[in-house]
């Protein structure tokens, strides 16, 4: 096999995108820091403030404080926002500046490009998730060591959202379209049984919410962080995996159309 | 491969976008170690041809072989030995000059150490060493073009493709770039470039193919083209208040060929000096005269009836 | 002076008429979404009255202030940065026969109008839903304008000094977001640790929230804060606006002449 076609060579090339991300974030650390702190701020607000007002919450027959209820949801948000930034604004900027055209004039293939960018996005998501987990523990919201299991769960959430996000970005035509991103992110966060228990919604609302990706992700994290592994958990995992696959297939097809005509 | 073998060979190359044929039945050969140019005005299909050469675009018809391989099937293998300088720079605006080179080197499989060494070497070659730590936005147009060329050389390519490399550059930057290209040729790199500047084609190239509206107009060395489609010299007569058509038969008898371009009349002749004397002897009084050598611009005008640069 | 200011404001309004659809969400839908989701969601869990209001009635005036605040922060962020550094809109406005003060005042006036429109829509819908007991709540609209002004003026000074847009998101995350969360909108500030109380009580948003809630209380049960407190909150807001404007004039004069 020629040297450039081995698995090692492919990894080396895909790794360029992670390296690139590290290089430029070395200089953009204020932005990095603020993205890190955002879910922590929300957790503090919700925990200290709303927690005091709301008191206790019953979920799946279990009673817990509001902070304990909301923490996995905020972890999911950290996992998602860590990834969305890189796969929307950043990705779109690279597409419109024709950066990828230059990169593709090398042995790099579009598949390796997509893999590399995903790896970088996952790294970002992983860092933000881990940082949040540490904050959770510092605030006393990590009941047991099971909570470490939430990390791979968060990684799966990051993967699923990265895939769909990249695919969606390939459809954007103007910078204004990105307003939609923050809008839907917010709607999703508010209305997916994350900040308030699902039971608050009427029956038909609950059915809809159960199908949304963030709800699935948060439920997965709730299960994992207390070590409750049921068939429901497997269901959430399958959902997120399917979402990842669908997102990547679509993204790949779109990238082929955009970058190689 | 020995010298004189075809490194790139295009036969009946065609590219269609929707209903229009942007490239129609183009054929040419690029031999190892030479400088080859595609000369033509804007819209001739030069950039499209270059994109097919680098494998970014798939031909709609015809055959294309680069380094003995098919760019559609063996794209990565070809690109490992190719250097591409596009028309519009696509450098990484978020990285420094040096980082642009080292990350690109990585895509060719160079180790971190090798990438750094090669990048430093290349910055020397294009005279950008003192700008290594600057961001792209602080560079001038000529500098970004030089950096793009440096980037295209990172993998020590056998062939370098340049799409209109000096468009938009000031004369000094142009000549600097031409120097670098000549040096590349001396080092054994095959250079393929597209341009709409006839001086660039004439002065740099070993062989040229002239294209217009996606089709070939003529091919050969600059000398061959000038001999076949031009005369040794040209006299330009300028008439500020319009050219009197009644003079034309008299002018036609003085030259091999006459072209009228607006307020100018071009006389294609063997000796400009003699012809100017003859014009004055005939009693004609143009507002100004210009004596010059015949160029590829004239060849293009002869073959298409239009000029290279609108 | 006033004529020039109004002309500038009208210029911005004309621009806005073309782009208003893009801000429909943040200006109109988002506050109502919060009111609905948080109001119902949290409201169903909060049994007791909060500071003498039902949760929804506690939340609504605060949301009004937050909308004004976020509208101002949004306008004084990237759009202003783009107008100064990315396009040359500000430079062109300054070459017209207008003083710097008029250009800035006109822009700020436009922002207060945007805040007023958002507030009016919110008030109307909230009143229709019975959240506000009386249509006097529309008096909160001018209050929203003052809150927007108090927030926009100092932010103008900050944005004018930026040379790269990277820090704008940082400001939004580390200033706008915490203030929105911790200024007594969703829960009383007394619940927060004593150490941060002084910081909160300086922020214009907190004063805006207190003012709005106090006024809405006055309309409803005739309960609520004493008029002197309300006047105090209003005073602080106006102070923020005035100092912010002075700072902005200074920054623009110094940094825009290059």
């Amino acid at each position: 096999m020629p040297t450039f076609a081995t698995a090692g060579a492919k990894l080396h090339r895909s790794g360029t995108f992670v390296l690139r991300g590290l290089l430029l974030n070395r200089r953009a650390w204020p932005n990095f820091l603020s993205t890190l702190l955002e879910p922590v701020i929300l957790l503090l607000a919700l925990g200290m403030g709303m927690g005091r007002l709301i008191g206790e919450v019953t979920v799946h027959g279990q009673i817990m404080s509001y902070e304990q209820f909301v923490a996995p949801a905020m972890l999911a948000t950290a996992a998602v926002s860590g990834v969305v930034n890189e796969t929307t604004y950043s990705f779109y900027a690279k597409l419109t500046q024709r950066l990828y055209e230059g990169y593709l004039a090398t042995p790099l293939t579009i598949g390796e490009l997509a893999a590399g960018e995903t790896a970088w996005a996952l790294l970002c998501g992983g860092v933000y998730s881990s940082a949040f987990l540490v904050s959770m523990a510092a605030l006393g919201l990590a009941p047991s060591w099971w909570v470490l299991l939430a990390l791979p769960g968060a990684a799966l959430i990051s993967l699923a959202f990265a895939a769909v996000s990249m695919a969606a970005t390939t459809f954007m035509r103007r910078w204004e379209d990105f307003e939609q991103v923050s809008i839907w992110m917010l709607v999703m966060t508010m209305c997916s049984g994350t900040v308030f228990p699902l039971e608050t919604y009427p029956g038909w609302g609950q059915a809809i919410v159960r199908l949304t990706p963030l709800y699935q992700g948060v439920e997965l994290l709730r299960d994992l962080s207390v070590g409750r592994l049921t068939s429901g958990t497997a269901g959430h995992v399958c959902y997120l995996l399917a979402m990842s696959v669908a997102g990547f297939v679509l993204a790949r097809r779109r990238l082929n159309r955009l970058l190689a005509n | 491969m020995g010298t004189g073998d075809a490194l790139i060979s295009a036969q009946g190359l065609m590219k269609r976008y929707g209903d229009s044929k942007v490239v129609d039945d183009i054929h040419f050969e690029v031999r190892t170690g030479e400088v080859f140019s595609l000369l033509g005005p804007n819209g001739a299909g030069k950039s499209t041809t270059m994109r097919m050469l680098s494998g970014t675009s798939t031909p709609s018809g015809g055959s294309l072989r680069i380094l003995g391989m098919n760019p559609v099937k063996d794209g990565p293998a070809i690109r490992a030995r190719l250097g591409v300088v596009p028309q519009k720079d696509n450098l990484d605006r978020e990285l420094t000059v040096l980082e642009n080179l080292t990350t690109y080197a990585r895509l060719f499989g160079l180790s971190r150490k090798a990438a750094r060494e090669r990048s430093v070497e290349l910055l020397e070659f294009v005279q950008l060493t003192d700008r290594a730590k600057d961001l792209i936005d602080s560079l001038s147009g000529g500098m970004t073009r030089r950096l793009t060329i440096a980037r295209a050389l990172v993998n020590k390519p056998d062939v370098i493709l340049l799409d209109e490399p000096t468009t938009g550059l000031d004369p000094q930057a142009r000549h600097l770039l031409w120097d670098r290209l000549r040096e590349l040729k001396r080092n054994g790199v095959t250079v393929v470039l597209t341009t709409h500047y006839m001086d660039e084609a004439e002065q740099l190239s070993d062989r040229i193919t002239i294209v217009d509206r996606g089709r070939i107009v003529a091919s050969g060395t600059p000398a061959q083209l000038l001999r076949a489609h031009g005369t040794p010299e040209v006299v330009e007569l300028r008439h500020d208040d319009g050219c009197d058509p009644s003079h034309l038969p008299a002018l036609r008898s003085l030259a091999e060929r006459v072209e009228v371009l607006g307020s100018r009349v071009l006389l294609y002749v063997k000796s400009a000096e003699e012809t100017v004397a003859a014009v004055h002897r005939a009693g004609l009084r143009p507002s100004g005269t210009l004596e010059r050598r015949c160029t590829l611009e004239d060849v293009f005008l002869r073959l298409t009836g239009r000029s290279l640069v609108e | 002076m006033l004529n020039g200011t109004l002309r500038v404001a009208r210029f911005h309004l004309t621009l806005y008429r073309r782009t208003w659809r893009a801000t429909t969400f943040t200006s109109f839908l988002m506050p109502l979404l919060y009111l609905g989701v948080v109001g119902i969601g949290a409201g169903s869990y909060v049994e007791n009255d909060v500071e003498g209001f039902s949760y929804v009635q506690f939340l609504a005036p605060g949301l009004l202030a937050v909308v004004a605040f976020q509208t101002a922060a949004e306008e004084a962020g990237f759009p202003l940065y783009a107008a100064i550094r990315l396009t040359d809109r500000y430079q062109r406005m300054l070459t017209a026969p207008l003083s710097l003060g008029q250009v800035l005042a006109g822009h700020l006036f436009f922002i207060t109008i945007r805040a007023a429109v958002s507030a009016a829509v919110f008030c109307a819908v909230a009143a229709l839903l019975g959240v506000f007991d009386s249509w006097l709540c529309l008096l909160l609209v001018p209050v929203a304008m003052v809150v927007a002004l108090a927030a926009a003026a100092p932010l103008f000074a900050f944005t004018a000094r930026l040379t790269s847009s990277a820090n704008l998101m940082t400001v939004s995350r580390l200033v706008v977001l915490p203030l929105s969360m911790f200024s007594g909108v969703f829960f009383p500030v007394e619940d927060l640790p004593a150490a941060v109380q002084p910081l909160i009580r300086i922020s214009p948003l907190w004063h805006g929230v207190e003012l709005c809630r106090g006024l809405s209380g006055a309309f409803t049960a005739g309960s609520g804060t004493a008029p002197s407190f309300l006047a105090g909150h209003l005073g602080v807001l106006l102070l923020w606006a005035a100092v912010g404007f002075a700072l902005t004039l200074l920054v623009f004069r110094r940094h825009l002449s290059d």
Side-chain angles (χ1 to χ4, degrees):
Chain A
M1 193 186 265
T3 39
F4 66 83
T6 62
K10 284 178 186 289
L11 270 173
H12 190 87
R13 284 192 295 267
S14 292
T16 312
F17 294 95
V18 177
L19 181 72
R20 179 186 178 276
L22 289 172
L23 277 175
L24 56 98
N25 271 285
R26 218 175 22 189
R27 288 186 288 269
W29 61 267
N31 217 3
F32 173 73
L33 207 63
S34 63
T35 320
L36 211 73
L37 289 173
E38 195 176 3
V40 179
I41 293 175
L42 285 174
L43 180 66
L44 281 173
L46 293 171
M48 278 196 284
M50 299 298 282
R52 203 105 33 124
L53 280 181
I54 294 181
E56 282 172 351
V57 159
T58 311
V59 175
H60 295 310
Q62 250 193 323
I63 302 183
M64 57 179 86
S65 77
Y66 183 66
E67 295 103 305
Q68 287 173 323
F69 168 77
V70 125
M74 291 293 107
L75 177 61
T77 326
V80 171
S81 66
V83 140
V84 163
N85 223 19
E86 287 300 320
T87 50
T88 53
Y89 299 103
S90 200
F91 188 52
Y92 184 72
K94 288 179 231 166
L95 275 173
T96 47
Q97 282 166 25
R98 298 184 327 273
L99 182 73
Y100 292 142
E101 283 176 15
Y103 280 13
L104 288 169
T106 69
L108 184 78
T109 64
I110 292 186
E112 289 162 16
L113 192 161
E117 288 290 37
T118 310
W120 165 246
L122 284 181
L123 183 65
C124 288
V127 169
Y128 294 133
S129 305
S130 309
F132 185 81
L133 213 57
V134 169
S135 327
M136 256 175 77
L139 290 171
L141 292 168
S144 68
W145 285 103
W146 279 117
V147 91
L148 285 176
L149 208 55
L151 260 182
L156 183 57
I157 296 178
S158 292
L159 185 68
F161 277 84
V164 170
S165 189
M166 264 206 274
T169 305
T170 58
F171 286 101
M172 305 280 190
R173 292 201 198 298
R174 313 167 327 223
W175 280 103
E176 283 81 7
D177 290 341
F178 280 101
E179 272 250 326
Q180 308 280 329
V181 171
S182 9
I183 290 172
W184 288 109
M185 288 277 296
L186 187 64
V187 172
M188 204 174 48
T189 317
M190 301 280 300
C191 303
S192 46
T194 54
V195 184
F196 301 110
L198 198 55
E199 287 75 13
T200 353
Y201 294 99
W204 53 267
Q206 290 190 28
I208 297 178
V209 168
R210 267 187 235 275
L211 295 172
T212 60
L214 192 58
Y215 172 80
Q216 294 281 330
V218 173
E219 287 299 302
L220 175 66
L221 291 183
R222 280 199 217 288
D223 287 346
L224 289 175
S225 52
V226 294
R228 176 180 57 231
L229 303 168
T230 66
S231 60
T233 322
H236 301 315
V237 170
C238 288
Y239 179 101
L240 292 169
L241 279 175
M243 190 172 148
S244 312
V245 168
F248 280 127
V249 166
L250 183 59
R252 180 75 181 274
R253 200 172 297 174
R254 288 286 306 166
L255 281 176
N256 265 317
R257 174 103 69 89
L258 287 176
L259 297 172
N261 55 349
Chain B
M1 269 185 205
T3 3
D5 288 349
L7 211 60
I8 300 178
S9 158
Q11 305 276 2
L13 200 58
M14 200 256 289
K15 178 70 184 175
R16 194 186 291 124
Y17 281 119
D19 285 332
S20 61
K21 280 193 191 158
V22 176
V23 170
D24 191 0
D25 193 26
I26 297 249
H27 45 270
F28 59 84
E29 238 180 41
V30 178
R31 302 190 193 135
T32 315
E34 75 171 349
V35 177
F36 176 86
S37 295
L38 265 182
L39 173 66
N42 290 328
K46 310 191 295 290
S47 294
T48 313
T49 308
M50 288 301 246
R51 283 211 307 278
M52 287 193 274
L53 286 179
S54 68
T56 325
S57 195
T58 317
S60 312
S63 90
L64 185 57
R65 295 202 78 72
I66 305 176
L67 298 163
M69 296 182 270
N70 181 345
V72 177
K73 267 183 44 248
D74 305 307
I78 294 176
R79 290 193 287 273
R81 291 160 60 190
L82 213 64
V84 180
V85 179
Q87 189 172 7
K88 283 190 266 204
D89 299 322
N90 49 23
L91 297 164
D92 198 333
R93 310 204 86 83
E94 297 185 284
L95 296 180
T96 65
V97 165
L98 186 65
E99 284 167 352
N100 260 277
L101 291 178
T102 51
T103 42
Y104 209 69
R106 206 193 151 91
L107 291 173
F108 286 106
L110 272 73
S111 70
R112 186 188 284 200
K113 187 159 163 293
R116 207 191 155 79
E117 278 170 10
R118 182 88 184 122
S119 306
V120 168
E121 200 183 303
L122 284 167
L123 285 179
E124 279 265 0
F125 178 68
V126 295
Q127 296 167 1
L128 283 174
T129 314
D130 54 338
R131 307 291 241 133
K133 295 230 191 317
D134 293 340
L135 287 176
I136 307 296
D137 286 327
S138 63
L139 299 179
S140 71
M143 289 178 188
T144 53
R145 196 57 57 85
R146 273 152 45 204
L147 181 59
T148 312
I149 292 183
R151 195 180 73 164
L153 294 169
V154 122
N155 57 329
K156 296 203 177 109
D158 298 327
V159 186
I160 183 168
L161 306 175
L162 302 108
D163 194 358
E164 308 222 14
T166 61
T167 305
L169 298 185
D170 61 78
Q172 196 185 12
R174 291 185 80 208
H175 286 278
L176 225 155
L177 220 128
W178 288 358
D179 272 340
R180 299 293 105 195
L181 291 179
R182 288 192 190 104
E183 181 157 347
L184 280 178
K185 180 188 169 178
R186 278 198 297 275
N187 292 340
V189 181
T190 308
V191 177
V192 178
L193 65 107
T194 71
T195 181
H196 59 261
Y197 296 128
M198 59 88 189
D199 54 350
E200 191 160 81
E202 236 179 281
Q203 291 186 40
L204 287 179
S205 327
D206 295 316
R207 288 183 321 116
I208 303 174
T209 291
I210 304 184
V211 290
D212 183 33
R213 295 192 183 145
R215 319 209 80 221
I216 293 190
V217 170
S219 292
T221 69
Q224 285 170 347
L225 288 170
L226 287 170
R227 253 199 319 274
H229 306 287
T231 60
E233 297 187 353
V234 182
V235 173
E236 287 191 26
L237 302 176
R238 205 179 75 240
H239 295 93
D240 285 334
D241 26 339
C243 175
D244 189 346
S246 66
H247 293 155
L248 280 176
L251 289 172
R252 278 190 219 283
S253 66
L254 294 174
E256 273 178 50
R257 209 174 87 244
V258 174
E259 291 272 2
V260 181
L261 283 180
S263 63
R264 290 184 297 153
V265 178
L266 275 64
L267 302 174
Y268 290 91
V269 296
K270 269 212 185 55
S271 161
E273 213 179 311
E274 283 174 18
T275 313
V276 171
V279 165
H280 286 140
R281 273 202 304 274
L284 300 168
R285 293 271 173 275
S287 321
T289 60
L290 173 68
E291 300 168 40
R292 60 174 176 79
R293 207 172 49 73
C294 189
T295 69
L296 288 175
E297 181 87 44
D298 299 301
V299 170
F300 190 79
L301 183 63
R302 163 91 188 268
L303 294 170
T304 65
R306 297 186 358 263
S307 49
L308 269 174
V309 185
E310 267 98 53
Chain C
M1 168 79 189
L2 192 62
N3 210 350
T5 311
L6 286 176
R7 267 192 289 144
V8 175
R10 196 171 333 145
F11 166 73
H12 284 284
L13 275 170
T14 324
L15 279 180
Y16 185 58
R17 229 193 320 211
R18 277 189 280 144
T19 60
W20 72 273
R21 248 169 274 266
T23 56
T24 339
F25 187 77
T26 37
S27 303
F28 307 118
L29 294 174
M30 192 190 71
L32 291 169
L33 184 74
Y34 270 108
L35 186 64
V37 177
V38 180
I40 298 175
S44 63
Y45 282 94
V46 180
E47 296 104 15
N48 312 321
D49 274 358
V50 186
E51 287 188 357
F53 297 92
S54 75
Y55 187 70
V56 177
Q57 286 179 327
F58 170 83
L59 181 63
L63 280 179
L64 191 94
V66 161
V67 166
F69 176 70
Q70 289 194 344
T71 306
E74 190 191 304
E75 278 284 336
F78 193 76
L80 179 67
Y81 175 79
I84 299 176
R85 303 253 174 233
L86 299 181
T87 66
D88 53 4
R89 189 187 302 165
Y90 250 79
Q91 272 76 351
R92 274 186 283 135
M93 281 204 280
L94 289 169
T95 60
L98 295 165
S99 74
L100 179 62
Q102 286 173 315
V103 170
L104 292 173
H107 197 171
L108 286 169
F109 185 45
F110 158 71
I111 295 180
T112 61
I113 295 180
R114 260 202 69 187
V117 173
S118 310
V121 169
F122 182 82
C123 269
V125 176
L128 277 169
L129 294 174
V131 176
F132 289 130
D133 284 345
S134 107
W135 285 93
L136 284 171
C137 67
L138 282 172
L139 283 175
L140 289 175
V141 173
V143 176
M145 293 174 76
V146 178
V147 173
L149 189 63
L155 277 175
F156 262 50
F158 175 79
T159 306
R161 294 205 55 191
L162 288 180
T163 45
S164 114
S165 66
N167 290 328
L168 282 170
M169 282 302 297
T170 312
V171 166
S172 137
R173 290 196 197 105
L174 294 183
V175 173
V176 176
L177 179 70
L179 279 179
S180 307
M181 291 277 104
F182 296 113
S183 296
V185 177
F186 298 94
F187 52 87
V189 291
E190 286 75 25
D191 288 344
L192 293 167
V196 298
Q197 299 277 348
L199 277 174
I200 297 178
R201 283 168 209 269
I202 301 178
S203 94
L205 180 57
W206 179 72
H207 286 280
V209 169
E210 289 293 302
L211 182 56
C212 285
R213 198 174 292 136
L215 277 176
S216 82
F219 314 142
T220 30
S223 67
T225 2
S228 52
F229 275 157
L230 296 182
H233 290 312
L234 185 63
V236 174
L237 285 173
L238 291 171
L239 191 64
W240 267 102
V243 172
F245 189 69
L247 266 177
T248 304
L249 274 174
L250 201 72
V251 168
F252 267 73
R253 281 217 178 95
R254 200 177 295 172
H255 287 260
L256 241 65
S257 44
D258 40 347

